[in-house]
Amino acid sequence: MPESQAATELPPDTPTPSLGELFAACSRVGLSGFGGVLPLLRHLLVEERRLMSGADFNALLGLCQFLPGSNVVNLAVCVGARFHGVRGALVATAGLLVGPFLVMMALATAYGLWGNLPVVQDMLRGIAAAGAGLLFATALKMARNVPERWIYLPFSALVLVALVVWRLPLPPLMLALLGITGLIAYRRRSR
């Protein structure tokens, strides 16, 4: 068995979370993340609660990235629906969004009052840098669960260059790479 596959398998007795546990877990993630909760959601689902494997998380996130709306909200809907259907989707999404909505309203009010102060501007730059670091760490963890990742490494490098150096817009780039990787996957499967 390949190492990456063995590392992503779940124990057979992985319990299904109740609706209350789902709401509490998503609320904790939503209230813990500033600048994006994707790394925290992955940590909760894959590493802490072991509700899905790393490969499952990658596949589900890949699907959610092609759907309209926020990736993390789409992911909460899918995870909730996986365990409890429509009720689970609603509970997980509410858990993820209600707490941050209330905090955001309070912070927006505070920013309106004190947002021009230099200390506030410095604090916001530090939060943005921490958020970027969390996303980078999550990308590295996700890459460990991609089988035969060496094949896809040139695509990662190409996307990085296209976005950062050439400043190409993301949607047409994703569609172009979707076609190329789809063709590669089709040829590999037909062998």
Side-chain angles (χ1 to χ4, degrees):
M1 178 181 305
E3 181 181 336
S4 61
Q5 184 179 357
T8 60
E9 289 185 358
L10 297 177
D13 58 345
T14 301
T16 299
S18 67
L19 285 172
E21 290 172 333
L22 200 57
F23 182 84
C26 287
S27 293
R28 194 183 82 196
V29 167
L31 288 170
S32 300
F34 285 81
V37 297
L38 183 62
L40 299 173
L41 190 58
R42 186 193 183 280
H43 176 76
L44 172 81
L45 295 172
V46 176
E47 298 167 14
E48 183 180 317
R49 300 289 304 268
R50 298 182 56 81
L51 296 175
M52 64 176 50
S53 68
D56 282 347
F57 182 86
N58 288 353
L60 203 56
L61 180 61
L63 171 68
C64 292
Q65 287 175 328
F66 279 97
L67 297 174
S70 165
N71 297 335
V72 175
V73 173
N74 293 340
L75 198 57
V77 170
C78 291
V79 169
R82 174 181 276 192
F83 294 112
H84 295 285
V86 173
R87 290 184 312 151
L90 292 173
V91 164
T93 305
L96 189 68
L97 296 179
V98 169
F101 172 76
L102 296 174
V103 170
M104 193 62 233
M105 292 303 292
L107 287 176
T109 302
Y111 186 78
L113 295 172
W114 303 295
N116 292 332
L117 296 175
V119 68
V120 173
Q121 293 297 318
D122 289 344
M123 183 181 70
L124 293 175
R125 280 190 282 274
I127 290 172
L134 283 171
L135 283 177
F136 184 71
T138 298
L140 290 177
K141 287 181 180 179
M142 290 176 64
R144 286 190 301 208
N145 296 119
V146 174
E148 299 178 359
R149 57 186 163 266
W150 58 270
I151 294 172
Y152 304 103
L153 198 56
F155 292 101
S156 299
L158 179 63
V159 168
L160 184 66
V161 169
L163 288 175
V164 175
V165 178
W166 300 333
R167 298 190 182 272
L168 295 178
L170 184 60
L173 180 66
M174 286 180 69
L175 288 176
L177 290 175
L178 175 67
I180 294 170
T181 55
L183 181 63
I184 291 172
Y186 175 76
R187 288 188 174 201
R188 290 173 54 87
R189 184 163 289 258
S190 60
R191 284 186 197 164

